[in-house]
Amino acid sequence: MELLIFGHGGRAVLFFPTRMARFYDYENWGVVEALRHKINNGELQLFCVDSVDAESFYNNWAHPAVRIARHLQYEEYILNEVVPLMKEKNNAGYFEVAGCSMGAYHALNLALKHSHIFKKVVSMSGRYDLTQHIDDFRDLFDGYHNDEVYFNMPRQYIANLHEYGILNDMRKLNIILAVGQTDPFLHNNQEVSRLLWDKGITNEFYIWDNYAHRPRYWRQMVELYL
């Protein structure tokens, strides 16, 4: 799988693409350029990874159990290939994860599940339960549920977390959620933020004017939050 690395040092950021997007889209949309000053100054190093959403969540030809299994293979690739690459290229010891739209889901889910790896997560315009039907966004599992689906939907598993060790690791995360005022995922974001607070997991939650689910907003968001 392909990826792009921008920068030579500083905080290492694993950057997930939007829904079925590619590893080069943030560069094409000017999102990377919005961070150019921090990148050139050695404050920030971006690792823009590719996506397999078309083979997992959006593979309508596959059974939902196959969709979530493919997603978990992708997660193994991130953990066993990309994270070691980040460690090889960056010795700062401060790893972050971020994403926009579907990338925001990937970022938050990965950070919560592996909070011993990451210090910070920035999720912009995200949807954190892919089994919910929200406006024009359908249930990506067509009503199917199993343990693997459950344990990869933050809105579902956060509420039932009770183990001190897991919660304590999550409480060390710097969590930032941002979404537009008229974005259909606004309520989902509000609910996830509240669920985190209910578990003593602090998080910053920002509501932007209008829809804010576009690259021109994400260019502004990354300047503020990354």
Side-chain angles (χ1 to χ4, degrees):
M1 292 186 65
E2 297 168 287
L3 55 77
L4 282 170
I5 303 173
F6 299 93
H8 58 275
R11 293 174 288 116
V13 180
L14 171 63
F15 208 178
F16 284 106
T18 62
R19 179 179 56 172
M20 294 189 288
R22 301 302 308 277
F23 64 99
Y24 48 74
D25 283 324
Y26 286 133
E27 181 182 24
N28 290 347
W29 296 338
V31 176
V32 174
E33 183 61 32
L35 295 167
R36 181 63 57 190
H37 180 72
K38 292 180 180 179
I39 292 171
N40 289 344
N41 283 353
E43 300 173 36
L44 204 63
Q45 189 175 31
L46 296 182
F47 293 79
C48 297
V49 294
D50 217 346
S51 127
V52 298
D53 294 335
E55 300 174 20
S56 57
F57 301 133
Y58 288 92
N59 185 356
N60 297 327
W61 298 101
H63 188 276
V66 176
R67 296 175 207 168
I68 192 65
R70 184 59 171 152
H71 165 71
L72 291 174
Q73 289 176 331
Y74 176 64
E75 183 177 286
E76 288 300 307
Y77 153 71
I78 295 294
L79 294 172
N80 296 325
E81 295 188 41
V82 178
V83 170
L85 176 67
M86 293 172 69
K87 291 178 179 178
E88 178 185 324
K89 298 289 185 181
N90 188 298
N91 59 9
Y94 192 99
F95 284 9
E96 302 181 9
V97 58
C100 305
S101 190
M102 178 62 80
Y105 156 80
H106 285 298
L108 184 65
N109 187 48
L110 189 74
L112 292 175
K113 289 173 63 179
H114 302 281
S115 49
H116 60 288
I117 298 176
F118 301 99
K119 304 289 188 182
K120 178 179 176 181
V121 54
V122 179
S123 291
M124 298 159 277
S125 308
R127 171 190 182 192
Y128 306 112
D129 187 345
L130 307 182
T131 70
Q132 279 189 309
H133 183 99
I134 302 174
D135 291 356
D136 294 331
F137 297 88
R138 64 179 181 81
D139 169 6
L140 297 183
F141 295 95
D142 303 317
Y144 177 83
H145 291 273
N146 67 6
D147 284 350
E148 290 178 338
V149 172
Y150 170 81
F151 284 111
N152 284 280
M153 300 300 125
R155 175 186 162 271
Q156 296 184 31
Y157 64 71
I158 293 170
N160 297 311
L161 284 174
H162 300 290
E163 186 179 334
Y164 174 80
I166 294 174
L167 287 170
N168 194 47
D169 280 344
M170 290 182 178
R171 289 167 183 152
K172 296 174 184 176
L173 275 171
N174 180 2
I175 301 174
I176 296 177
L177 306 175
V179 69
Q181 190 175 33
T182 59
D183 191 309
F185 302 151
L186 172 62
H187 176 71
N188 188 255
N189 278 255
Q190 291 171 322
E191 188 175 11
V192 167
S193 177
R194 178 183 56 77
L195 287 169
L196 290 169
W197 279 111
D198 287 348
K199 294 297 178 178
I201 303 169
T202 61
N203 62 94
E204 300 174 41
F205 178 40
Y206 301 98
I207 300 176
W208 284 58
D209 290 339
N210 305 316
Y211 184 52
H213 202 119
R214 293 284 185 271
R216 67 186 180 94
Y217 289 99
W218 297 329
R219 288 193 290 268
Q220 299 173 60
M221 289 179 185
V222 295
E223 284 190 87
L224 291 173
Y225 306 138
L226 285 187

